[in-house]
Amino acid sequence: MPHLFPDRRQFLHTLGNAVMLPACAVSGRTHATATEVHRFDLGIASGSPTARSVVLWTRLTGGDLPNRVDVHWELSHDEAFKRIAARGTETAEAAWAHSVHAEPRGLEPGRWYWYRFRALGERSMTGRTRTAPLATSGATAPLRFAIASCQRYDAGHYAAWRDVAEQNLDLVMFLGDYIYEGPSRSDLPRRHEGGEARTLDTYRARYATYKRDPLLQAAHASAPWLMVWDDHEVENDYAGLQDPRLDPHFPERRAAGYQAYWEHMPFPRSARPRLDVAGGAMRITGRLDWGTLARIHLLDNRQYRDPQVCPRSGRGGSNTVKQTECAALLDPRRTLLGAEQERWLAEGWDTRRPWNLLAQQTLMARHSWSDTADGDAGPGGTYWSDGWDGYPLSRNRLLGTVAERRMPGVVVLGGDVHANVVADLKADFDRPESPTVATEFCGTSISSQGRPQELLDMARPFNPHIQFSRSTQRGCMLFTLEAKQLQVALRVVDNAKDPASAVLTGASFVVEAGRPGAVAA
C-alpha cells in the first residue's frame, strides 16, 4: 500500500533544507532579529515505537522560559499535515529542563507518520517516524536499521549521521556513550563547553552542545530511535553505584546524569528516573516485537552490574588482568546484568520469530590480549575487566541458555570498543571447535578514537572466533533483516574530521536464518 510509506526523496529534500536553514526558517517564523531566541534549538526526535504508539521528543530552549509552558504537537499521515492522525498538548516544566515526551496512541501499525511541535509562537522542524508492524499481520517486509555508538563531540564530526539520515531506515539503535562527560582536549578538532560534567546543569549543557549538531538532528528526525546507555552518560567505567574514584557522593552524580539522559531522549514518561531512589533508578531494559520477523531485546549493562574485579590499588573501575592472577573473574555469583535482568532475558527469548536481536553496550565475544593456553592449571588469557570478559560466567549463562534452548537467529549488537568487530559466539570459548550459537556485530564509534590497529592484529591469533576487527574505522553498521537472511554493511567514514566526508561500505556480511555465524559477502 504505497500511502503507508514516505516519499524518501521529498522527505530528505525537506529535511536537508530544515537542517541548513537558519533556525527562524526551520521553525516557520516569518521574521527574526539578531537577539531572537529559538525555542526548538535542540531539534526533535522520536523513539520507543510499538505497533500502536510512539514517543515524540523535544526540549524548549531560551533563558526566559516560564516555569511551565504548553507545547502543542501534531502527528500526521502526510508531510503537509493535511490528514492529522493525532494531536495534543504537553506541559514542559523547568524541573525537567522543559523537555517534552508526547505519547500518541491508537495509531495504525506498520506505517509512517510525520510530526512537529509548536510553542510560544514558534514551530519546530518536521520529523518522520513510524510504528512497528503487528505480530499477527504476517508482515514480511524487511527491517532496515542502523546501530551506532560513541559519538564524542570534540573527537570528530558527524558525517556518519548524515549517511544514516539518507538511508531511509526503519529504526536507529543507539548503543551507548551519547555524550562524553570529560573536558575537551586541545588537540581534537572540536571543543565543547566547560570541564567535566558532574552536576545536573553541566550534564544538561553537554547534551545541548551535542544536540545542536545539524547532522545529529537530521538522523534523529529521519526515523525512530531505540536507546541504551553505557558509562560516559555519567562517568567512565562506573558500575552500579560505584565510580572509579570510589567517591561516596557518586550516587548523587549518577542521579543527575540519569535525569539529564531522560530529559534529552525519546523515552516515555514511565521511564522518568526515580529521584527518591539512590542513584536515580531508571529502567531502560525493554523489548520490541517487529511483526512476525524479530524480537528486539534492549539491555542495561551498567546500572545493575557488580563492580569490576581486581582493580588498581585504591581505585574502582576497569583494569587489564590475567585470569591466572585474578581468581574473582571466575566467581559464579558475579553478574554484568544483575540477577533480575538475567532472568528477564532468559524468560523472554522468542522461539516463534526467526530472529532475536540483542541490543546492548559492548563486545560480548571473548577477546584475550594474550595466549589463552598460558595457564598452568587451566585456560588463561589477559582480559579487560569492564566488558563481558570481566564477567565470563555471566556471559556463559546467557550463551548457555541460547545453546540449550536452540534459540533461533540470535544476533548480538554492541558498541563501546571503538572498532568494527564481527564474531562467532560460542557457548564454550575454551573449545574453538565447539558450535557457534549466535552471531555478533559490534559497531565502531561515530567519532571517538580507537586503539592502534596493530594491537588488535597481535591479538587475533588468541581469538579465532573473531572474524573481523578494525579499529581505524569510524561510522556505523547498516542492517537489512528478512525472514531468511540478515545483510550487514559496515559504513565507514573517509575522514571523521570532515562533516562533508564521503561514507563508503568497508565490508559486508551475511547471516542465514538458522545458521549462526557471519559470512563475508
Side-chain angles (χ1 to χ4, degrees), residues 388-455:
W388 281 98
D389 281 333
Y391 304 79
L393 298 191
S394 183
R395 176 177 58 202
N396 288 355
R397 289 191 291 271
L398 191 160
L399 293 177
T401 299
V402 171
E404 291 166 11
R405 300 183 186 176
R406 298 183 178 181
M407 288 297 146
V410 174
V411 178
V412 176
L413 308 169
D416 182 40
V417 296
H418 304 178
N420 278 321
V421 182
V422 180
D424 298 334
L425 295 179
K426 307 275 188 176
D428 185 354
F429 285 105
D430 290 324
R431 296 173 52 244
E433 74 281 3
S434 66
T436 297
V437 300
T439 312
E440 179 167 26
F441 293 95
C442 187
T444 190
S445 56
I446 290 288
S447 56
S448 305
Q449 296 172 332
R451 289 175 175 267
Q453 180 63 35
E454 54 265 29
L455 294 181

Side-chain angles (χ1 to χ4, degrees), residues 482-496:
E482 300 175 300
K484 295 185 178 181
Q485 187 181 80
L486 173 65
Q487 301 174 46
V488 187
L490 278 55
R491 299 290 287 173
V492 178
V493 175
D494 184 56
N495 180 5

